[in-house]
Amino acid sequence: MTAPELPDRAGHFGPYGGRFVPEALVAALDQLSQAHADARRDPAFVAELDDLLANYAGRPTPLTEAKRFSEQAGARVFLKREDLAHTGSHKINNVLGQALLTKKMGKQRVIAETGAGQHGVATATAAALFGFDCTVYMGEEDTRRQALNVARMRLLGAEVIPVSTGTKTLKDATNEAFRDWVANVESTHYCIGSVVGPHPFPMLVRDFQRIIGVEARQQLLDRTGALPDAVVACVGGGSNAMGLFHRFIGDESVALIGCEAGGDGVDTGRHAAPLTAGSPGVLHGARSYLMQDEDGQTLDTHSISAGLDYPGVGPEHAFLRDSGRARYRGVSDTDAMAALELLAKTEGILCAIESAHAFAGALQWVAEQGRDDLTVIVNCSGRGDKDVDTAARFFGLVSQEDIQTASDVRAHEGEQP
Amino acid sequence: MTRLDDLFAQCRQENRAALIGYLPVGFPSYEASVAAMVAMVEGGVDAVEVGVPYTDPGMDGPVIQVAVDAALRAGTRVAQVFEAVRTVSAHAPTVVMGYWNPVEKYGPARFAKDLKAAGGSGAITPDLIPEEAQPWLEAARAEDLDPVFLVAPSSTDERIAVVGRTNRGFVYAASTMGVTGTRSTVGNRAEELVGRTRAQTDLPVCVGLGVSNADQAAEVAAYADGVIVGSAFVRALQDGGPDAVRELARGLAEGVRRR
Ligand SMILES: Cc1ncc(COP(=O)(O)O)c(C=O)c1O
């Protein structure tokens, strides 16, 4: 079986994937598998999704040649501009697909987990568009780090529930979403945000994100007449990376490069790089690589990027890692932030800190090849507006007093009638 | 015949349901958790579900989450579960209740071997379904342990039949669609589920999720072979220590005998 035909019927990518869930969820997962299989064959579903992607989300997104960035990189670099999709990241591709499935299954409520808030915002957006009730679980720690996205979700009509158990981050928000789902599965669809979770989620989310690579491949062929030497993406749960990689898996000359959150450095233990420095295990419904201690307890993670701060990763990436078809590396906080600054100053594009990991990884990969004739596509998975606060602190762009004054002013304005 | 088979045979003779109590190892400390499990048996619990603390207990509500979090923060290790089983098994049959990843990491064969050596009777695996369970089933068979999978109100009859064929000891019927925690009512879906399960298997059927007092235990005992109580014991331990646990067990034991 070649990789594009995976997973098998039970949702396995080699030894990875599957369903490690309470029995209570099996019926809902079967229902979802069936709805997804029907939708794939249903021209009306495909047409409705295509229409939403084109006329609501703004697809196809451009493929931008980054000429000044390329000079610094020593390679011809093209950016797949998911940052220009509605809501500011690739997350909308998956959410629109799952919202349509939700409607088909006759459910009226969606729930989601979110880390940085991008997936939560995308889900709240689709819920508003479709008239669904929406509840988003977000780690208490992240609601503080990403207060603006909390406000965005609430403006869109979603209920945001801060999760205060465990590490108070994305991992625990995911646990809470699963608990809600078990209790409300008859009325509720769990709109999972990445290629993680029990079968069929990794396959289903990949199928909805696959359009990234399908478009990028054709756009580059139209522009240059050739395939790229590498495609590069950041990997949190792995959805923007699977979305970019999948169409290229059969193109054996194309290197697939995934960039995980190296945090303080993968050798420090303070990171979120399970494929680079973790081991196989089971978390959130599937077997894959994860960060765990010798008792199989999930470890705390660290990354400057809330969207990559997750101890697990999608099972198809685990498969691609073991087979050698894709290569994964950890990119440190510092290297990611340097790449973010370089892209901003050479191209006028402020990318998400998640995406900055891909730009840094691309720079490293090109440097390692020792060639000057390479062409690379980097997935610019999201825009950086949500990260300006973090970046301002990181680079010391504004003084602590300015930050304090600004938040005092905001708080004061908030008190006005 | 395992110890669990003997237990259910005896309960049938006495025309009552079995009472199974859960507590996690290491909460509030290793010693206190084991003392509370023994107190539970003194109060009338027939079999003890010995919980393996896990960082991501997806089937558990807030009471158990907080307890296992505390157990892990106190440094509880998976190997201590076998020590607890060894002590408690001297008083009553034990089954461990464990999410899959710690078992997989320990090694299914090694886990089964150490569990058997400690005197354990089997294991309830709340996030493992028969389709994914081959390594565990082989390990359990090799050590003559009882694998216990769950059925839920959403399970089809076909799936219930598979669980009935795969399990040994008993079938764990989840009373509601939801996570562990005390509830004001157990709900009528439990009785229907027990009926559907009996149609597929001769194994005893035990109902868990939501039972916290003697009246609820009596209500469930009217149609099930066993009543499983977890969060209520954790809360009792938290609020009143082993004495409160023993007291709660007394009341529940009276409840499962009201038929
Ligand atoms: C812009 C952006 N890129 C990437 C990610 C990481 O997710 P994934 O690996 O599923 O693409 C996130 C998650 O929040 C994100 O917001």
Side-chain angles (χ1 to χ4, degrees):
Chain A
M1 196 182 279
T2 63
E5 288 158 21
L6 292 173
D8 68 16
R9 282 178 53 84
H12 295 116
F13 303 87
Y16 302 110
R19 281 183 180 170
F20 293 83
V21 292
E23 169 66 25
L25 286 179
V26 171
L29 294 169
D30 282 344
Q31 178 194 27
L32 183 60
S33 292
Q34 190 57 52
H36 179 229
D38 292 347
R40 279 172 136 183
R41 285 189 300 265
D42 176 5
F45 182 95
V46 174
E48 199 174 350
L49 181 56
D50 284 351
D51 177 65
L52 281 171
L53 290 172
N55 300 314
Y56 185 73
R59 302 206 73 87
T61 57
L63 187 74
T64 302
E65 179 162 11
K67 293 210 172 98
R68 279 171 32 80
F69 185 83
S70 294
E71 276 171 32
Q72 305 292 317
R76 214 171 157 192
V77 179
F78 290 82
L79 316 188
K80 184 56 177 164
R81 299 295 304 280
E82 295 303 299
D83 57 320
L84 296 180
H86 182 42
T87 70
S89 83
H90 69 292
K91 299 282 181 189
I92 194 75
N93 304 328
N94 165 44
V95 159
L96 289 174
Q98 290 202 49
L100 270 181
L101 284 180
T102 305
K103 196 172 85 172
K104 267 189 80 118
M105 291 186 292
K107 297 184 174 182
Q108 278 95 41
R109 177 174 179 260
V110 288
I111 57 172
E113 84 295 343
T114 198
Q118 289 302 104
H119 174 60
V121 167
T123 306
T125 298
L129 180 66
F130 283 78
F132 298 147
D133 289 335
C134 178
T135 301
V136 178
Y137 291 94
M138 189 170 186
E140 201 175 72
E141 202 63 39
D142 292 330
T143 59
R144 273 197 289 270
R145 285 199 274 190
Q146 305 281 344
L148 271 178
N149 269 341
V150 174
R152 277 172 90 191
M153 290 183 267
R154 289 183 174 149
L155 273 174
L156 291 161
E159 176 191 22
V160 180
I161 301 185
V163 176
S164 59
T165 50
T167 56
K168 303 177 175 46
T169 58
L170 180 55
K171 168 180 91 75
D172 303 283
T174 306
N175 289 334
E176 236 11 74
F178 271 112
R179 291 183 187 116
D180 179 320
W181 202 33
V182 175
N184 300 295
V185 68
E186 275 145 36
S187 67
T188 299
H189 174 63
Y190 179 14
C191 184
I192 213 164
S194 192
V195 287
V196 299
H199 178 66
F201 283 115
M203 170 176 78
L204 180 149
V205 177
R206 175 200 74 196
D207 285 356
F208 289 138
Q209 291 293 0
R210 195 173 176 274
I211 190 157
I212 300 171
V214 169
E215 285 177 8
R217 188 174 182 277
Q218 193 56 50
Q219 287 167 321
L220 192 75
L221 283 172
D222 291 346
R223 203 86 62 84
T224 69
L227 289 171
D229 295 291
V231 297
V232 187
C234 67
V235 179
S239 67
N240 87 90
M242 264 332 295
L244 179 63
F245 290 177
H246 198 255
R247 182 62 184 86
F248 290 99
I249 288 174
D251 299 324
E252 276 169 27
S253 65
V254 180
L256 312 178
I257 310 292
C259 305
E260 297 192 290
D264 290 348
V266 279
D267 45 354
T268 66
R270 281 176 51 78
H271 59 81
L275 291 164
T276 313
S279 57
V282 168
L283 177 66
H284 293 153
R287 182 178 289 108
S288 184
Y289 279 79
L290 66 108
M291 293 182 49
Q292 57 183 331
D293 70 11
E294 53 185 356
D295 273 0
Q297 309 290 357
T298 312
L299 286 170
D300 285 0
T301 53
H302 169 79
S303 170
I304 192 168
S305 144
L308 303 183
D309 206 351
Y310 180 66
V313 67
E316 192 162 12
H317 284 294
F319 177 83
L320 291 172
R321 174 204 184 276
D322 284 7
S323 72
R325 179 63 191 94
R327 308 260 171 206
Y328 298 87
R329 59 174 65 225
V331 169
S332 69
D333 288 352
T334 324
D335 288 351
M337 293 309 282
L340 178 135
E341 185 178 26
L342 180 65
L343 185 74
K345 291 191 169 152
T346 54
E347 298 293 335
I349 294 171
L350 190 56
C351 72
I353 296 178
E354 289 81 11
S355 320
H357 288 70
F359 289 101
L363 293 170
Q364 292 167 3
W365 183 82
V366 169
E368 288 157 14
Q369 306 311 302
R371 283 170 53 180
D372 60 5
D373 59 344
L374 295 168
T375 301
V376 176
I377 297 175
V378 181
N379 202 8
C380 190
S381 59
R383 66 176 184 227
D385 306 44
K386 68 181 173 61
D387 296 320
V388 170
D389 208 43
T390 308
R393 283 168 213 265
F394 184 88
F395 293 116
L397 301 180
V398 281
S399 67
Q400 274 307 323
E401 293 97 290
D402 287 345
I403 293 173
Q404 193 51 51
T405 311
S407 80
D408 288 349
V409 169
R410 280 204 302 265
H412 183 67
E413 281 169 352
E415 285 159 15
Q416 305 295 311
Chain B
M1 289 286 272
T2 66
R3 281 180 85 179
L4 287 176
D5 297 332
D6 291 340
L7 167 65
F8 287 108
Q10 186 195 331
C11 288
R12 214 168 292 129
Q13 263 179 9
E14 295 172 12
N15 188 30
R16 66 171 179 99
L19 176 63
I20 302 175
Y22 161 93
L23 280 173
V25 174
F27 173 78
S29 67
Y30 173 78
E31 290 74 19
S33 66
V34 174
M37 289 180 213
V38 173
M40 204 183 235
V41 178
E42 290 163 0
V45 157
D46 298 298
V48 179
E49 220 186 276
V50 180
V52 184
Y54 176 49
T55 41
D56 297 275
M59 248 204 81
D60 285 304
V63 172
I64 292 176
Q65 282 170 45
V66 168
V68 298
D69 257 8
L72 289 171
R73 258 183 285 113
T76 306
R77 300 294 309 267
V78 169
Q80 289 176 282
V81 170
F82 304 113
E83 287 174 49
V85 166
R86 191 179 305 281
T87 306
V88 179
S89 294
H91 303 265
T94 56
V95 284
V96 299
M97 145 89 187
Y99 289 89
W100 181 242
N101 198 51
V103 180
E104 175 161 306
K105 188 72 180 171
Y106 197 85
R110 181 171 158 236
F111 193 95
K113 194 160 168 281
D114 290 359
L115 179 57
K116 184 70 180 185
S121 298
I124 300 166
T125 45
D127 61 345
L128 195 65
I129 55 177
E131 289 90 327
E132 299 285 356
Q134 213 45 47
W136 174 241
L137 289 173
E138 281 164 26
R141 196 174 306 124
E143 299 294 341
D144 200 25
L145 290 168
D146 295 338
V148 179
F149 298 94
L150 283 73
V151 294
S154 61
S155 302
T156 59
D157 290 344
E158 292 73 35
R159 294 193 58 80
I160 293 174
V162 170
V163 170
R165 282 197 298 275
T166 313
N167 280 25
R168 286 182 30 184
F170 64 96
V171 173
Y172 188 131
S175 67
T176 54
M177 298 294 286
V179 296
T180 57
T182 58
R183 289 184 177 79
S184 47
T185 59
V186 177
N188 47 15
R189 297 185 78 178
E191 183 166 7
E192 184 217 316
L193 177 60
V194 170
R196 289 203 294 132
T197 307
R198 289 207 198 287
Q200 304 293 339
T201 176
D202 293 332
L203 284 174
V205 185
C206 301
V207 171
L209 302 192
V211 181
S212 61
N213 59 44
D215 288 346
Q216 288 175 330
E219 182 194 325
V220 173
Y223 57 81
D225 301 293
V227 179
I228 304 172
V229 179
S231 299
F233 277 120
V234 174
R235 188 169 288 162
L237 175 56
Q238 203 165 9
D239 296 346
D243 289 342
V245 168
R246 192 180 297 104
E247 215 34 55
L248 176 63
R250 280 209 183 100
L252 293 164
E254 179 270 313
V256 299
R257 283 168 174 79
R258 270 189 234 159
R259 257 196 188 162

